[in-house]
Amino acid sequence: MNKCYKMKRVIIFFCCISIGCSNVENNSKLESDEARTIWNQQKREQHLNNRNDKTTWDNQMLENDKQLIGIGEFGPFEIGVFPVPKYELLGKNSFKGLGNKTEDFKVGNKTVVMNSFFVAKNDINKKRLGDKHNDVFFQLLVLTDTLDTENYNLNKNIAISRNHPDYLAQGFVKTKTTTIDYVAFKTAEGGAYAIINTRLFHLNFGKTICIAPQKDGTFRSFQIKSPQLTSETIINFTESLTKDDDVVTFFNQKGAI
């Protein structure tokens, strides 16, 4: 496969697991780790209650996160700093990391930027992941007509764990004439969604989304029901996509930038 100028492959893990203990002494917060990592409606309701209960908040994390205020543009939403419950209230091993991986590819004669986001295996998702170390919940491929191989200001993204046990990713890709903004999230229940320039995608019906900006200012999208992917398999999978007839036709269609 012919690749264009290679962008940085980025893997970022936000291992923000607090080791402090809650000072709230009620039965729901003193359950065993095993019980706390069985996710159900009761756990969801308790988690929502914890959000409103300042005695469960991780104040050290809040202080550290204040450095993110005004950090700059990383997608459609300004990064908000909120107090969040201590991660270990959902189990000591309920969070093991979150990350992303980025690369650019040639598809026919066109250049495509790929961004992907994954959640590491933990006690909440381990049954769903099986023998996989992590799980890609969103992959975005965007047709572009320009690259910034020095400052990477045309393709920025961030993965955020502060909604633990739900996870969010957002970012943007800029072409010469337009911006593709996106946000995606995955819930502890297993549901996953993305919004790309106001188009909604249910990722459980295909986590790989292709976007082709058009010369007339409109967009085309192509959703692919990909197999279970990890940070280790995402590059090879994408390389195979670049040779797929439907994908090649989509990105090289008449009217695309």
Side-chain angles (χ1 to χ4, degrees):
M1 182 200 68
N2 293 322
K3 289 188 180 179
C4 59
Y5 295 105
K6 185 177 291 186
M7 298 177 68
K8 292 181 180 177
R9 293 185 181 181
V10 182
I11 301 178
I12 303 174
F13 283 95
F14 296 89
C15 297
C16 304
I17 304 176
S18 172
I19 59 174
C21 297
S22 171
N23 60 358
V24 180
E25 296 183 359
N26 61 53
N27 290 336
S28 64
K29 296 186 180 69
L30 295 177
E31 292 173 296
S32 68
D33 282 340
E34 180 180 1
R36 282 184 290 185
T37 53
I38 299 173
W39 195 251
N40 53 35
Q41 182 176 346
Q42 181 182 0
K43 301 302 177 185
R44 172 64 71 183
E45 292 174 351
Q46 181 60 55
H47 178 62
L48 295 178
N49 288 336
N50 288 346
R51 270 190 169 184
N52 296 327
D53 181 357
K54 64 175 61 178
T55 65
T56 72
W57 295 349
D58 190 326
N59 292 315
Q60 184 60 55
M61 182 182 290
L62 178 62
E63 288 302 312
N64 293 338
D65 285 352
K66 288 181 180 179
Q67 64 184 313
L68 299 175
I69 297 173
I71 192 173
E73 185 182 10
F74 280 93
F77 294 109
E78 182 174 349
I79 297 175
V81 174
F82 294 86
V84 299
K86 295 176 181 178
Y87 284 16
E88 72 269 18
L89 289 176
L90 299 178
K92 182 179 179 181
N93 295 310
S94 65
F95 179 71
K96 303 293 285 186
L98 180 69
N100 62 357
K101 203 161 191 177
T102 296
E103 184 66 274
D104 60 273
F105 298 86
K106 276 289 190 181
V107 181
N109 296 320
K110 300 297 182 73
T111 301
V112 172
V113 173
M114 188 280 289
N115 293 320
S116 61
F117 303 88
F118 56 90
V119 180
K121 187 176 183 178
N122 57 54
D123 278 355
I124 292 177
N125 65 18
K126 64 182 181 181
K127 287 186 178 180
R128 186 167 63 247
L129 267 61
D131 60 354
K132 304 293 190 299
H133 295 298
N134 57 61
D135 176 50
V136 172
F137 66 91
F138 176 51
Q139 180 188 27
L140 176 66
L141 292 93
V142 177
L143 176 65
T144 187
D145 53 7
T146 183
L147 291 174
D148 179 357
T149 58
E150 293 184 5
N151 300 313
Y152 301 94
N153 287 325
L154 302 180
N155 178 26
K156 286 190 176 182
N157 57 69
I158 188 169
I160 300 172
S161 70
R162 294 300 183 260
N163 294 290
H164 172 66
D166 309 316
Y167 305 106
L168 182 142
Q170 70 164 15
F172 63 80
V173 177
K174 293 185 178 182
T175 70
K176 290 180 179 179
T177 58
T178 192
T179 298
I180 295 85
D181 285 309
Y182 62 89
V183 61
F185 62 90
K186 187 175 184 69
T187 69
E189 289 81 1
Y193 300 86
I195 300 174
I196 305 171
N197 282 25
T198 73
R199 170 161 282 193
L200 178 66
F201 297 89
H202 194 318
L203 300 179
N204 294 81
F205 293 88
K207 70 184 71 175
T208 298
I209 309 297
C210 302
I211 299 293
Q214 303 294 295
K215 294 175 182 177
D216 64 2
T218 63
F219 301 92
R220 301 294 183 270
S221 67
F222 182 34
Q223 187 166 5
I224 299 171
K225 192 170 182 60
S226 48
Q228 188 174 31
L229 298 169
T230 70
S231 61
E232 292 82 19
T233 64
I234 189 69
I235 297 298
N236 286 340
F237 172 74
T238 308
E239 288 177 344
S240 69
L241 280 183
T242 65
K243 301 177 180 69
D244 181 87
D245 289 342
D246 290 337
V247 173
V248 172
T249 298
F250 173 76
F251 283 122
N252 288 272
Q253 62 187 286
K254 183 179 180 180
I257 60 173

